[in-house]
Amino acid sequence: MKITFAEGLAQAIYEAMAADSRVVLIGSSFMGLNMTARKLMEPAVRDYSDRMLVTPISELALAGAGIGAAMCGQRPVVDLGTGSFIFQAFAQVVNEAANIHYMSGGQSKAPVTFYCLAGMRGMGAAQHSHRTQAMLGQVPGLQILTPGGADDAYQLMKWSLLKSQNPTVFICHSLLFTETSELDPNEPMLPVGRARIRRQGSDVSIIASSITVPRAMAAAELLEKQGIFAEVVDLRTVVPLDRETILKSVAKTGRAVIADECHKSFGVAAEIAATLAEDGLSFLKAPVRRVVVPDVPIPFSQSLEEELTVSTEKIVAAALQVLGR
Amino acid sequence: MTDLSLKMLHRFYEQLWQIRFFEGHVQRLAASGEVPGFPHLSTGQEAVAVGVCANLTEGDMLFSGHRAHGHVLAKGSDPYATFCEVIGRQDGLCQGRGGSMHLVDVSTGMLGATGVVAGNLSLAAGAAWAAQVANKEKIAVVFFGDGATGSGVFHETLNLAGLWQLPLLFVCENNGMAEFTGREEHSDVAKVSAFAAPYGISAQTIDGNDVLVVNAAARSAIQGIRAGSGPYLLECMTYRMAGHYVGDAQHYRSKEEMATMKEKDPIERLRLHLLAKGDSAEELEAIMQRVKAEMTAVVDRARKAAHPDPATVMDYVYSADFPGREENAKWN
Ligand SMILES: Cc1ncc(C[n+]2csc(CCOP(=O)(O)OP(=O)(O)O)c2C)c(N)n1
């Protein structure tokens, strides 16, 4: 069955609400301002509106309420809207949710999901374009899910709502909504913490997550026309990070391009590059290349934003560079 | 309220139309995709911007939010530079870096518009405090929607303002909506002005669609603030005639509601007032036509303005004296 990313999300939310009455949506504009995608939430609104709370603009309190409810057995998902607004909730997410299990010596658990529609969406400008996975990756205790395909949007969301035992930040990219993939709901899910090899290749590994996954796939296609076979590793989750699969892939190809939408310094790509430097140096036939966003706030102007975008073309160029072409 | 000169009233009429036409162009060009992003229009709420800003001097400091076009224009920014910013051009107030939600014009005292609801409130408190310690006559004004009252920082800032007796005017534009849902779904506190008293702050709820009412209330509040009587909260009941953003289909609004819009329109209300005072319809039509033509010319010019040069994308991350500035540009 072919589904879109937005369909995968909506279906996962619906099925999770149907399966477990403890799943409560604190805020429910999961699809942002995408009206076509919003329609997909209609079945959930029809059947479970009693578990979908309309919320004031109170991210800090809502996040905390989600944590507290999760500590008491509920399975809430707090919709933080545009991913940048997780900053309003940071104190609760980072300093309460992430710490509670550890600080309580394992007594307490907070299986709450924080949902963020994040990323460079086009003219979101500096205040609506954040990708927070790297900075949140600095917070032990949080799981960070970054699906790049419709299959994982469905599976990871469902897992987060029904199975996860830890606080989770679910980072969605609004430009992914129309991406499609095959999904067999009866097939067992690839375990959380395992990266997905989206495409096999022998010449270069392109390591991607979230929005860079379809762009890496497009890059691999273009490279194949030049006789270059790229392997695309979709991380699926930034925490846990599947270092083993990354290293295995690079051991095979000997070359790595890391495509990520976080800023360059201290980013997700930086962490992967460090892993390769520490444990994969002997595999590398060329220096690692990062295709990432320079350390600059995201400008409003289209011509400026495009300059920063982690595009398919830039991924292709980086692959050619590591191949010495 | 009746002591306003005819000149002043005509000025209000002009300014209301200026904002209306400005945003009309934003709406038209957004619908065709030429204005990027999701601009938020203040159509129907212009009287608040005009009535409040009429009482400010150039030195007074303004903070606004995601629906700021009217505030910026009323505070005196150049419509051409403002429009250029909304369409992301190099000639824009912020050289295309900010866009519709982040309009800044330090030259007019428009210190910041933020796209983060309630993100401006405590900044305004800081500006007011700076004016206070510098012993300046200046005051700070912050515009925000009723939605911002759901955030903790609104309450924290009220507390600070009361505690420190800041020269700060809080202007809530209560349009009854936050995005697509009504205030009653967000709070059991019906009036925003009710939040002021516990913090020892004076407040009033007024008809925000009557520019004369807004002007009079703002004037007396600002006179008090300048005289040292501390912060004030002005809740202006208003009505957003447009959607939350351009493209909002407004399914949450009934036909009946849409039909009553004209009665609420602050421009129409001022027009009726002026007619009653003896202005002729032709005279008022002529003012409107003149403003319309001016704004059309501004927009035509702005649409031809250059886009920012991609090579300058790393400019302004840090100010010139940041020791790592060159490294920042080179490394990336
Ligand atoms: C902290 C934060 N949360 C959520 C949003 C998304 N958002 C943008 S406008 C808006 C509604 C704001 O309502 P209100 O403050 O009443 O202003 P209005 O839009 O009615 O002018 C929301 C929720 C935001 N910009 N900032």
Side-chain angles (χ1 to χ4, degrees):
Chain A
M1 177 176 71
K2 226 184 177 71
I3 58 160
T4 66
F5 192 99
E7 283 166 357
L9 273 183
Q11 194 175 328
I13 292 167
Y14 185 88
E15 288 175 15
M17 293 187 92
D20 190 336
S21 64
R22 297 171 306 164
V23 176
V24 180
L25 314 191
I26 301 179
S28 52
S29 61
F30 290 84
M31 307 302 177
L33 298 180
N34 184 326
M35 291 302 151
T36 325
R38 273 173 106 102
K39 278 217 178 322
L40 300 170
M41 291 297 287
E42 277 170 8
V45 175
R46 183 192 61 218
D47 296 344
Y48 304 116
S49 62
D50 55 328
R51 282 189 274 140
M52 297 171 87
L53 310 183
V54 173
T55 55
I57 307 170
S58 311
E59 288 87 356
L60 185 67
L62 297 171
I67 299 164
M71 287 163 64
C72 296
Q74 296 295 311
R75 299 198 59 89
V77 44
V78 182
D79 174 18
L80 292 169
T82 299
S84 300
F85 304 146
I86 198 170
F87 300 137
Q88 314 310 107
F90 236 44
Q92 302 294 79
V93 174
V94 169
N95 218 355
E96 304 296 341
N99 285 336
I100 186 67
H101 188 254
Y102 189 81
M103 288 193 307
S104 69
Q107 295 173 75
S108 204
K109 277 190 302 203
V112 52
T113 301
F114 302 106
Y115 178 84
C116 296
L117 200 48
M120 291 168 62
R121 63 191 193 191
M123 273 69 72
Q127 291 188 317
H128 284 71
S129 303
H130 292 94
R131 298 76 58 221
T132 53
Q133 48 269 53
M135 55 179 106
L136 290 165
Q138 281 270 321
V139 183
L142 295 180
Q143 296 172 149
I144 303 169
L145 313 187
T146 49
D151 41 9
D152 287 325
Y154 170 79
Q155 290 183 333
L156 292 173
M157 178 54 92
K158 209 167 159 188
W159 176 84
S160 184
L161 296 184
L162 293 177
K163 296 269 164 49
S164 160
Q165 291 302 316
N166 291 287
T168 300
V169 183
F170 192 100
I171 297 184
C172 229
H173 201 297
S174 50
L175 300 185
L176 283 170
F177 279 167
T178 52
E179 290 296 326
T180 56
S181 51
E182 280 299 324
L183 178 76
D184 178 356
N186 300 318
E187 205 173 280
M189 173 187 180
L190 186 62
V192 174
R194 284 273 302 283
R196 193 188 283 278
I197 305 292
R198 289 245 172 225
R199 184 181 174 117
Q200 303 269 356
S202 50
D203 297 330
V204 55
S205 301
I206 306 177
I207 299 147
S209 61
S210 186
I211 188 64
T212 58
V213 171
R215 293 178 188 164
M217 293 296 282
E221 208 142 290
L222 290 173
L223 288 164
E224 194 176 312
K225 294 204 176 108
Q226 306 187 36
I228 296 162
F229 297 92
E231 177 148 302
V232 176
V233 181
D234 173 357
L235 297 175
R236 296 169 74 231
T237 63
V238 167
V239 179
L241 180 63
D242 186 0
R243 292 186 166 84
E244 194 185 316
T245 298
I246 296 168
L247 286 164
K248 259 195 202 150
S249 175
V250 177
K252 180 166 83 168
T253 62
R255 293 180 169 88
V257 168
I258 311 161
D260 189 73
E261 212 186 59
C262 291
H263 290 295
K264 185 171 187 181
S265 300
F266 314 103
V268 170
E271 177 60 29
I272 294 166
T275 300
L276 290 172
E278 280 181 342
D279 298 327
L281 201 57
S282 60
F283 310 141
L284 288 171
K285 298 178 196 152
V288 167
R289 296 301 316 170
R290 286 181 274 170
V291 188
V292 288
V293 177
D295 298 340
V296 52
I298 306 308
F300 173 73
S301 138
Q302 192 170 4
S303 61
L304 295 180
E305 184 177 1
E306 275 169 7
E307 181 72 9
L308 303 176
T309 306
V310 180
S311 62
T312 296
E313 295 70 38
K314 286 184 189 166
I315 299 171
V316 169
L320 292 175
Q321 195 186 359
V322 298
L323 282 153
R325 306 258 190 119
Chain B
M1 233 166 82
T2 45
D3 61 342
L4 290 176
S5 68
L6 197 60
K7 202 169 150 218
M8 188 76 168
L9 292 174
H10 283 172
R11 178 80 195 120
F12 286 170
Y13 194 64
E14 260 176 47
Q15 284 188 303
L16 291 170
W17 273 120
Q18 188 192 42
I19 300 168
R20 181 68 56 89
F21 284 128
F22 182 99
E23 294 195 311
H25 286 291
V26 175
Q27 179 163 32
R28 184 172 57 84
L29 295 180
S32 70
E34 198 176 320
V35 173
F38 291 107
H40 302 82
L41 307 182
S42 69
T43 307
Q45 306 183 185
E46 300 93 340
V48 182
V50 171
V52 170
C53 291
N55 296 286
L56 300 178
T57 67
E58 228 172 59
D60 291 328
M61 301 158 293
L62 198 64
F63 290 85
S64 180
H66 57 283
R67 207 178 292 288
H69 304 150
H71 308 144
V72 173
L73 293 174
K75 190 71 171 63
S77 287
D78 172 28
Y80 168 73
T82 310
F83 204 90
C84 279
E85 190 56 41
V86 172
I87 56 176
R89 304 303 168 92
Q90 184 59 35
D91 281 352
L93 291 173
C94 313
Q95 300 185 41
R97 272 72 175 168
S100 165
M101 279 201 275
H102 312 104
L103 298 169
V104 176
D105 187 352
V106 171
S107 72
T108 62
M110 174 64 207
L111 297 193
T114 176
V116 182
V117 169
N120 50 8
L121 291 156
S122 54
L123 306 189
W129 179 76
Q132 188 183 53
V133 293
N135 228 341
K136 294 265 168 60
E137 264 263 303
K138 299 200 285 191
I139 70 162
V141 178
V142 57
F143 286 102
F144 57 98
D146 48 302
T149 65
S151 81
V153 74
F154 169 69
H155 300 271
E156 295 176 37
T157 306
L158 281 180
N159 186 50
L160 278 187
L163 186 67
W164 294 346
Q165 285 295 293
L166 296 175
L168 174 56
L169 177 65
F170 294 91
V171 183
C172 178
E173 290 181 275
N174 187 346
N175 59 20
M177 301 286 293
E179 289 191 313
F180 321 109
T181 45
R183 174 152 184 86
E184 59 289 351
E185 294 201 61
H186 297 258
S187 181
D188 273 352
V189 181
K191 280 192 172 182
V192 170
S193 58
F195 290 122
Y199 300 104
I201 294 175
S202 306
Q204 196 189 351
T205 301
I206 60 164
D207 177 355
N209 278 15
D210 184 333
V211 69
L212 305 179
V213 170
V214 176
N215 174 61
R219 186 195 305 167
S220 105
I222 289 170
Q223 273 168 359
I225 296 170
R226 290 199 205 282
S229 59
Y232 195 96
L233 191 158
L234 195 59
E235 178 183 23
C236 302
M237 301 308 292
T238 182
Y239 185 76
R240 192 185 77 207
M241 288 166 71
H244 171 59
Y245 63 95
V246 177
D248 176 3
Q250 307 185 63
H251 294 306
Y252 47 85
R253 275 182 173 157
S254 67
K255 278 216 176 65
E256 295 76 46
E257 183 184 340
M258 300 292 252
T260 60
M261 258 187 205
K262 195 159 169 87
E263 295 161 26
K264 297 175 180 147
D265 182 351
I267 302 187
E268 181 60 13
R269 288 176 64 179
L270 180 60
R271 197 180 74 91
L272 294 175
H273 177 84
L274 287 168
L275 287 175
K277 279 192 75 117
D279 271 350
S280 71
E282 294 72 35
E283 209 174 341
L284 295 175
E285 173 76 12
I287 295 179
M288 185 267 268
Q289 290 296 349
R290 178 169 50 74
V291 176
K292 183 178 181 179
E294 282 167 8
M295 201 51 79
T296 303
V298 159
V299 171
D300 287 346
R301 206 175 128 223
R303 290 171 71 193
K304 295 188 197 111
H307 289 273
D309 176 0
T312 64
V313 71
M314 299 303 289
D315 290 358
Y316 311 120
V317 183
Y318 297 96
S319 64
D321 58 356
F322 173 62
R325 191 159 171 258
E326 271 173 34
E327 177 68 9
N328 177 259
K330 192 172 60 195
W331 166 243
N332 284 287

